[in-house]
Amino acid sequence: MLTNLKLMAAKTVFICSDCGAHYPKWTGQCPECGQWNTLAESQLQAEPKSSGSKRRFTEFVEPQKIQLLADVQPSKSLRVGTGQQELDRVLGGGLVAGSVVLLGGDPGIGKSTLLLQALAAISANLSVLYVSGEESVEQIAIRAKRLNISGDRIQIIADNLLERTLKACQSNNPQVLVIDSIQTFYSESFQSAPGSVTQVRETAAAFVRLAKQTGCIVLLIGHVTKDGLLAGPRILEHMVDTVLYFEGDRSSSFRLIRGIKNRFGAVNEIGVFAMTDQGLKQVSNPSAMFISRQSDPVPGSIVLAAMEGSRPLLVEVQALADKSQLANPRRLTVGLEATRLAMILAVLHRHAGCPLYDHDVFVNVIGGVKIQEPAADLAIAIAILSSYQNLTLPSKLAVFGEIGLTGEIRPVQKGQERIKEANKLGFDQILIPNANYIKKSKYAQKMISIKHISEIPTLLREL
Ligand code: TYD
Ligand code: MG
C-alpha cells in the first residue's frame, strides 16, 4: 500500500473495492485482501477542497479536557427495542443510543423491508427518519402498505446527497436514522462516484460523527456485491459499532441475521426470519424449520445439533458419496468448511476403513444455514458413511462432536443444551462424544456416547 505522501503525487490510482487499499498499478488480485478483480481505476482526490482553511482553524481550537477513566460516569445506555425480538437478540437486547449499526447483505434479501418494519415499531416512542437513496417515497409507501404499516409517525425523504441529508437531520433531529443504502450516498467534497471507496468511507464517517455528537441511532444499509462497482461494506466494519449480516438462500424464504461485530453485545448470535408476502416474520422455533420433513429416512442424511451463538439449532446435514469418473474426485461443501471435509475424509479412510479417494463427495446443510463450528465433524462423517454404505439412519437420531486427526471424538461446548434442544424436538437417540456424556442427566437414556471414529461403522449398522 502506498503511503499518503506518495498518494498525493499520484493522479490515477487503483482502489480495491473490497478493502480500500490503493495501488499505482492494476493487478488482477488485491495483494492486501486477496480478492480477485476488485481493483478499480479512480482519480485520486487527495484532500477535500477546504483542507487549507481547516488546518489553520485547528490552531485555535481548545484541546479536549483530559479526564481520569475512573471519573467518567457512563450514561445509562438504554436499549431501544425494535419490535422484532429476533433482531433485538442479535443486537444484544436492542439499539443503543448514539450507536451505528451496519446491516449488510445481498440485494433483494430484505434489508429495506426489515428496517422499515423495525422503524414502524420504534416510531411509537421515538422520532425516526428514513432516508432512501434507492427508492422514491412512493415506492416506500407501496412497501409500507404491503407490510400493513400505517407510517403516520415515520418520516421519509428520498435523497442521496450527504450534505443535504445532514441538514435535514439538523433541522429535524431524529432519534433514529436509517440510511438506505450507504453505497448510494455521495458528498460534494469528493469527485468520485457514489459507491466508490472514498465516497462510502467519507459519507459513512459523517454519519458516524452525527451519531456520536447527537446521540442519534444510525442504521446503515450496505450492499455486498462482488462486481467491483460498489464498495463492499467491509471497509465500513471498522467505523461502526455493530455489523449485522443478512444471510440466506434467496430461493428459500428463510433469512438469518448474524452479528459479526458488536460493541454492545455478544457476536455470532443469529436471528431467524421468514420472508412472507407480508414482510419478514420472526421464527421463534428455528430448529423445527431447518429439518426437512421427509417421511421416510434416506441414506446420507443426519440431523446435527449445532450451536449458533447462545442458541442451539438443529439442522440437517446431507452427504452424497458417489464413484467418481474424474482423475481428481470432486469435494464440495455448501454451508460447511471445505477444509474440514478434506480432513474428515482423511480420518475416515485412516481410522474407519472407509476409502473415499475415488469418490466424489458432496456435503450440504439444508436451508442455506452456514455452520462453522467443529462440532459438525461427526455429523459430516456419519452422513458420508451413511451415503457410502447406503445405510439408512433412524430419522429420530441427532449427533454432534468434533473429530480429531487421530480419530478420537472430542467433546464440544454446551453439550447439554444441544441435547436438550434435540430432546425438545422429539429426537430419541443422540450420538455424542464420550466426554460430553453425563450419567446423571435426565436424558442419559437417549445418549449414545462414542470415543473413537472406528466405532461408528458398527454402531450405525446396529442403530
Ligand atoms: P428488500 O427489502 O427490498 O431487499 P433489499 O433492501 O435487501 O434489497 O426486499 C426485497 C425482496 O423481498 C423482494 O424480492 C420482494 C420480497 N418481499 C416479500 O417477499 N414480501 C414482502 O412483503 C416484501 C415487502 C418484500
Ligand atoms: Mg433495499
Side-chain angles (χ1 to χ4, degrees):
M1 227 175 117
L2 288 175
T3 62
N4 273 346
L5 255 179
K6 281 186 195 158
L7 272 180
M8 276 178 215
K11 259 190 175 171
T12 304
V13 286
F14 294 87
I15 304 181
C16 171
S17 60
D18 221 49
C19 68
H22 294 58
Y23 304 96
K25 282 202 177 117
W26 188 86
T27 49
Q29 187 184 25
C30 171
E32 191 81 4
C33 64
Q35 288 292 335
W36 289 92
N37 275 332
T38 50
L39 294 202
E41 187 174 340
S42 177
Q43 293 302 318
L44 190 76
Q45 180 91 22
E47 297 269 298
K49 286 169 197 158
S50 57
S51 61
S53 57
K54 219 181 205 172
R55 208 170 297 135
R56 257 172 274 132
F57 171 70
T58 49
E59 287 169 18
F60 304 102
V61 172
E62 288 286 315
Q64 293 270 342
K65 192 177 132 222
I66 297 175
Q67 308 177 59
L68 277 177
L69 179 58
D71 295 340
V72 182
Q73 292 300 328
S75 58
K76 247 192 164 176
S77 60
L78 281 178
R79 298 270 184 173
V80 179
T82 59
Q84 309 267 348
Q85 276 147 20
E86 291 292 308
L87 181 57
D88 286 349
R89 159 192 203 102
V90 188
L91 288 166
L95 295 160
V96 178
S99 69
V100 184
V101 178
L102 173 68
L103 178 65
D106 291 335
I109 198 122
K111 302 179 293 293
S112 310
T113 307
L114 176 72
L115 290 192
L116 191 60
Q117 284 180 277
L119 279 192
I122 297 169
S123 64
N125 307 314
L126 302 177
S127 68
V128 301
L129 178 62
Y130 183 104
V131 191
S132 180
E134 293 187 353
E135 291 160 299
S136 66
V137 285
E138 288 84 14
Q139 280 173 308
I140 303 168
I142 294 169
R143 174 178 296 139
K145 279 236 162 60
R146 192 163 157 192
L147 299 172
N148 251 333
I149 292 170
S150 76
D152 48 7
R153 289 180 56 93
I154 304 179
Q155 313 181 84
I156 52 172
I157 38 172
D159 202 348
N160 57 1
L161 179 59
L162 173 75
E163 285 77 11
R164 211 159 45 200
T165 307
L166 289 179
K167 236 184 208 156
C169 293
Q170 265 167 16
S171 58
N172 184 273
N173 264 330
Q175 288 164 298
V176 180
L177 174 70
V178 172
I179 302 296
D180 185 2
S181 65
I182 192 70
Q183 272 89 4
T184 56
F185 270 73
Y186 70 99
S187 159
E188 280 176 334
S189 319
F190 302 93
Q191 276 169 358
S192 45
S196 67
V197 175
T198 317
Q199 290 287 6
V200 170
R201 196 175 44 212
E202 297 303 324
T203 47
F207 287 119
V208 172
R209 273 196 301 274
L210 176 82
K212 302 301 163 196
Q213 282 163 5
T214 63
C216 162
I217 298 167
V218 178
L219 299 154
L220 304 175
I221 290 180
H223 289 171
V224 200
T225 84
K226 283 266 174 321
D227 62 12
L229 280 174
L230 297 177
R234 295 227 139 229
I235 53 161
L236 302 174
E237 287 181 5
H238 302 287
M239 300 185 193
V240 301
D241 299 306
T242 305
V243 180
L244 308 180
Y245 268 81
F246 225 141
E247 293 174 359
D249 212 349
R250 259 209 278 162
S251 53
S252 86
S253 63
F254 305 126
R255 303 280 185 272
L256 297 183
I257 296 188
R258 195 185 290 275
I260 301 291
K261 162 182 174 179
N262 195 350
R263 288 188 182 145
F264 307 109
V267 284
N268 264 329
E269 279 293 350
I270 59 160
V272 187
F273 291 88
M275 181 62 96
T276 67
D277 54 355
Q278 282 164 13
L280 289 157
K281 291 254 151 57
Q282 343 190 32
V283 178
S284 46
N285 186 4
S287 284
M289 187 180 90
F290 291 113
I291 302 169
S292 75
R293 269 147 251 190
Q294 270 174 359
S295 45
D296 298 323
V298 283
S301 159
I302 183 92
V303 170
L304 160 72
M307 283 305 284
E308 280 290 349
S310 64
R311 157 189 264 188
L313 185 71
L314 296 196
V315 290
E316 185 181 337
V317 176
Q318 290 188 340
L320 178 69
D322 193 24
K323 195 99 178 144
S324 179
Q325 307 298 328
L326 305 167
N328 289 319
R330 311 229 302 154
R331 274 92 176 79
L332 262 183
T333 56
V334 180
L336 293 157
E337 281 174 72
T339 43
R340 289 212 81 86
L341 173 63
M343 193 199 86
I344 292 165
L345 288 176
V347 176
L348 276 175
H349 184 194
R350 179 70 190 268
H351 298 287
C354 178
L356 284 155
Y357 46 80
D358 55 352
H359 279 65
D360 290 327
V361 180
F362 306 96
V363 190
N364 176 28
V365 183
I366 300 295
V369 203
K370 286 199 187 84
I371 304 288
Q372 294 204 317
E373 50 166 4
D377 292 356
L378 194 53
I380 299 172
I382 291 179
I384 294 171
L385 264 176
S386 153
S387 170
Y388 175 66
Q389 303 186 335
N390 209 21
L391 259 180
T392 309
L393 303 173
S395 61
K396 289 292 167 201
L397 170 73
V399 299
F400 64 84
E402 182 180 345
I403 300 176
L405 282 180
T406 55
E408 85 274 21
I409 309 295
R410 302 171 57 83
V412 300
Q413 48 148 346
K414 302 199 172 138
Q416 288 307 299
E417 283 170 52
R418 296 173 202 255
I419 294 167
K420 208 166 134 195
E421 179 78 2
N423 179 64
K424 200 169 94 190
L425 280 138
F427 285 81
D428 38 40
Q429 285 175 312
I430 307 157
L431 202 56
I432 62 168
N434 191 49
N436 277 111
Y437 182 77
I438 298 174
K439 227 178 178 178
K440 286 189 198 135
S441 159
K442 60 177 171 179
Y443 312 113
Q445 282 191 334
K446 298 191 165 190
M447 296 183 209
I448 307 165
S449 69
I450 51 170
K451 282 187 183 146
H452 199 267
I453 194 157
S454 55
E455 299 165 34
I456 293 180
T458 17
L459 193 109
L460 290 189
R461 262 176 248 124
E462 286 165 8
L463 280 173

